[in-house]
Amino acid sequence: MALAALCGGSEAALAGVDVAPFGTMADGRPIHLYTLSTPGLTVRVTDLGGIITAIETPDRAGRTADIVLGFATADQYRARDNQYFFGVPVGRFANRIAGARVTIDGQSYALAANNGPNTLHSGRPYYHERLWAARPFTRGGRSGVTLELVSPDGDQGFPGRLVLRLRYSVGPDHALRIDYRATTSRPTFVNFTNHSYFNLAGEGSGDVGGQSIQIRADRLAERDAAGLPTGRIVPVTGPYDLRAPRRIGDGIAAIKAQGGSGYDDSYVLADRPFARPRLVAEARDPASGRTLTVLTTEPSLQFYTANSAWGTDAGPSGRVYRRHGGFALETQHLPDSPHHPDFPTTLLRPGQTFRSTTLYRFGVEGG
């Protein structure tokens, strides 16, 4: 049964989640902004696309800042976010699929070729362009919002009517927890992620080169010039070895010296999903003291350092976003998995339920 979209404040107040207007869709349907709060952490989410619009945490001096990149209004998200994917839940298949085509049980399906001859983040209509049904809740010490999207058979070229439930919640662990649950009417491929860009110094504060990253993976998926996996899983070496904390700027500089533009790499965490969320990555900003810890059940982590030539759009702070102004830690399955049977499977069949959990935990270190 589909969830009912909320329009009023009384039902939301019972759930411990604030709801405010956030503009309208082109057809006049109202868009809402949901504010999830716990001491030391505020997360704002909109039913427009299930987008995370803000994550606010304090620094070591107690000053609070928004540490994810985004826009101030729904109109800006609708007009510009297809370029950036700020804060969006990506589906039906995150990352790339070679040749914009998949085969299931001998039948071939054409997808959108929106990244040269390949598919990137599934193509339009993107999930973040749609209005999701939303319901706030408080349960087990956590406050949050559950969003539901029904993706029809043939949507973006994929077979099967997919019902996706996405739950954001915050609690006393100072973590934003993201739970995914999906079912399908026909065999289909699924790969979901959240595409938030973090800047622990605050959105719009400049590049993230002075912040550090650690990823607990000793392998990554080798990629070709188009960003597609070659099929080889290789040991991490040189600037790609992030098993110990590394300044992001040092790593980017080393990659540029090799002819690259920055990190956009799929780290292999395991050969199958974890049964429970596992610690996989940590980031720190020495200037503010803010920290970010990532735990997930997913077998892969895409680390991306905003390598595109930004410089046009500003965030809520009014400051223009520029190249390397944030980094993404996208928990997911490996790109192009439908063409690599040795990768953890992304095939979902009727009667099965896809489940995945990721936690982004925030903290602060002393000076």
Side-chain angles (χ1 to χ4, degrees):
M1 179 181 296
L3 300 172
L6 283 180
C7 297
S10 60
E11 188 173 351
L14 291 175
V17 177
D18 291 332
V19 183
F22 196 56
T24 59
M25 300 291 287
D27 60 8
R29 287 177 295 166
I31 301 168
H32 304 92
L33 188 68
Y34 298 81
T35 300
L36 323 178
S37 297
T38 191
L41 176 62
T42 297
V43 177
R44 305 187 197 279
V45 176
T46 175
D47 50 13
L48 170 61
I51 298 169
I52 297 172
T53 65
I55 298 177
E56 299 165 9
T57 65
D59 65 8
R60 66 167 60 92
R63 296 181 294 255
T64 296
D66 178 9
I67 61 168
V68 291
L69 278 54
F71 292 116
T73 69
D75 285 345
Q76 288 174 300
Y77 279 104
R78 292 176 54 215
R80 299 295 294 157
D81 211 21
N82 285 353
Q83 179 176 345
Y84 305 101
F85 291 78
F86 289 149
V88 308
V90 183
R92 181 170 307 189
F93 199 97
N95 220 309
R96 293 170 173 83
I97 294 178
R101 185 171 293 274
V102 295
T103 300
I104 303 174
D105 297 336
Q107 184 170 348
S108 181
Y109 299 90
L111 311 176
N114 63 345
N115 184 237
N118 309 311
T119 295
L120 177 63
H121 299 328
S122 301
R124 303 189 72 178
Y126 294 113
Y127 281 8
H128 65 264
E129 297 180 285
R130 314 180 200 190
L131 192 66
W132 296 48
R135 182 173 64 203
F137 67 88
T138 295
R139 183 169 58 252
R142 305 190 70 83
S143 296
V145 59
T146 299
L147 299 114
E148 183 178 279
L149 181 72
V150 178
S151 173
D153 186 15
D155 192 14
Q156 302 167 319
F158 290 92
R161 178 182 183 270
L162 187 86
V163 179
L164 172 61
R165 286 193 175 184
L166 172 62
R167 185 173 65 195
Y168 296 112
S169 67
V170 299
D173 58 354
H174 300 285
L176 168 62
R177 177 173 174 140
I178 307 177
D179 292 290
Y180 303 84
R181 183 181 183 276
T183 56
T184 183
S185 64
R186 298 174 61 194
T188 193
F189 289 110
V190 297
N191 189 19
F192 307 112
T193 194
N194 182 269
H195 206 278
S196 290
Y197 291 86
F198 297 95
N199 186 327
L200 298 181
E203 62 87 17
S205 62
D207 74 51
V208 295
Q211 299 170 35
S212 70
I213 185 67
Q214 181 178 13
I215 297 177
R216 296 171 182 254
D218 57 12
R219 299 174 295 162
L220 55 76
E222 182 184 67
R223 59 183 171 95
D224 62 18
L228 287 160
T230 65
R232 295 182 64 225
I233 303 300
V234 299
V236 293
T237 58
Y240 301 100
D241 185 351
L242 302 176
R243 290 174 292 181
R246 179 188 289 267
R247 267 184 97 256
I248 294 174
D250 292 345
I252 290 174
I255 291 171
K256 287 182 176 179
Q258 298 174 359
S261 58
Y263 291 96
D264 189 8
D265 296 278
S266 302
Y267 284 81
V268 178
L269 307 172
D271 295 328
R272 62 183 60 84
F274 300 114
R276 291 178 296 278
R278 182 83 60 89
L279 173 62
V280 298
E282 298 163 274
R284 289 174 169 80
D285 176 34
S288 68
R290 292 189 184 93
T291 65
L292 166 61
T293 304
V294 183
L295 301 92
T296 190
T297 58
E298 287 293 285
S300 177
L301 179 71
Q302 188 82 12
F303 179 42
Y304 177 55
T305 50
N307 306 323
S308 299
W310 295 355
T312 302
D313 293 297
S317 65
R319 295 186 290 264
V320 172
Y321 294 145
R322 303 194 183 278
R323 180 178 290 165
H324 308 312
F327 61 88
L329 293 167
E330 306 163 52
T331 60
Q332 57 186 261
H333 278 55
L334 287 168
D336 202 30
S337 290
H339 296 132
H340 298 278
D342 292 339
F343 290 179
T345 184
T346 54
L347 184 64
L348 181 67
R349 293 188 177 276
Q352 297 176 332
T353 300
F354 173 89
R355 290 183 173 88
S356 175
T357 297
T358 292
L359 293 96
Y360 295 103
R361 182 171 293 154
F362 305 95
V364 64
E365 296 178 329

